[in-house]
Amino acid sequence: MQLFLDSAETDEIAYALEYWNIDGITTNPRHVKNSGKAYLTVLEEIADLVKDTETPVSVQVNPRLNDWTRMVDEASRLAEISPNFVIKLAAGEDGFRAVQELTQREIQTNVTLVFSVSQAWHAARNGATYVSPFVGWKENHGDAGVDLIADCAVMLDNFGYPTQIIAAAIRNTRQIGDVALAGAHCVTAAGSVYRDSFRNPYTDMGNKIFGDAWDGTEMD
Ligand code: E4P
């Protein structure tokens, strides 16, 4: 399973590229807004960080564009900024039509805000590179988010679609493990979620036990 960082903070992304060997980056309009910078400024800064690599960066078109031709126009403009950019579009009739067109233009796509197998299927049959089921949003409201990952994985496998699943809106260490077992190809989460997932209180306890033992012995 590939590790994607969900962020629009360039310092955090630079750190994660250097220390965590991340495989990709996902952004969304809310992350960019929180960065306090203009949309294209952030995108250009991220493009610069991944220059000369194949690291995919998902960048979203304006969610207010409700017409597929306008989505395609904006997607094409964003794709010109960097060959690493994967265009994020919301699941929906116009989103799927835009994916069909972008696939023909060989522009990679990530269908976001996926909440059902049907939506993932529409995305896949139109050539989406990725689908992003939002695990955390479902689980926050008592729905089975991880089951959606497993079901999408079966559907993609049934028909041999090359579309990859990005398990998105992941909130904790447990969910990272669960989506890995459910068949997600990639996981995307905030830096704070990954930081928690690196450590475990038992590891800390064990390090103390072994550290104390080390202090009580001689090297040679
Ligand atoms: C994924 O690609 C999304 O950017 C992300 O997971 C959205 O959800 P969140 O911001 O609530 O985590």
Side-chain angles (χ1 to χ4, degrees):
M1 184 169 73
Q2 296 199 326
L3 189 164
F4 288 7
L5 180 69
D6 198 29
S7 176
E9 296 293 338
T10 44
D11 287 352
E12 180 179 57
I13 294 168
Y15 181 92
L17 284 164
E18 168 73 18
Y19 284 88
W20 301 349
N21 190 27
I22 59 172
D23 301 295
I25 298 149
T26 54
T27 64
N28 66 40
R30 188 163 62 179
H31 294 330
V32 175
K33 177 177 176 271
N34 291 342
S35 77
K37 299 178 191 166
Y39 203 73
L40 289 181
T41 303
V42 173
L43 266 43
E44 279 160 10
E45 285 178 6
I46 298 174
D48 205 43
L49 289 173
V50 298
K51 199 172 48 184
D52 303 326
T53 74
E54 294 192 351
T55 309
V57 181
S58 286
V59 299
Q60 195 157 342
V61 298
N62 178 353
R64 302 275 188 223
L65 300 176
N66 295 319
D67 171 87
W68 72 270
T69 57
R70 295 172 68 207
M71 292 177 182
V72 167
D73 286 350
E74 187 162 286
S76 304
R77 245 194 337 272
L78 295 179
E80 271 175 25
I81 297 173
S82 165
N84 300 66
F85 282 2
V86 176
I87 307 302
K88 231 180 178 186
L89 307 118
E93 188 176 3
D94 279 274
F96 299 135
R97 181 64 183 85
V99 167
Q100 187 189 322
E101 178 67 23
L102 293 168
T103 302
Q104 277 169 14
R105 296 187 189 190
E106 297 186 349
I107 293 175
Q108 297 195 86
T109 51
N110 174 358
V111 173
T112 190
L113 291 166
V114 166
F115 291 93
S116 70
V117 176
S118 304
Q119 289 181 318
W121 170 67
H122 284 300
R125 64 179 293 282
N126 282 296
T129 317
Y130 300 100
V131 286
S132 292
F134 276 32
V135 173
W137 286 23
K138 287 193 76 131
E139 303 232 330
N140 282 353
H141 294 283
D143 289 341
V146 176
D147 288 2
L148 176 58
I149 300 295
D151 292 347
C152 287
V154 171
M155 181 275 292
L156 294 174
D157 195 48
N158 280 349
F159 302 109
Y161 291 126
T163 305
Q164 299 214 336
I165 300 168
I166 305 176
I170 295 298
R171 302 291 183 234
N172 56 51
T173 301
R174 173 63 182 263
Q175 288 175 348
I176 294 175
D178 286 348
V179 298
L181 295 173
H185 303 91
C186 322
V187 60
T188 194
S192 57
V193 174
Y194 291 124
R195 258 178 233 110
D196 280 347
S197 74
F198 294 144
R199 56 176 299 275
N200 185 289
Y202 285 116
T203 310
D204 298 342
M205 185 181 79
N207 260 333
K208 169 142 186 12
I209 291 168
F210 295 141
D212 288 348
W214 186 275
D215 291 344
T217 189
E218 301 291 337
M219 192 66 163
D220 51 32

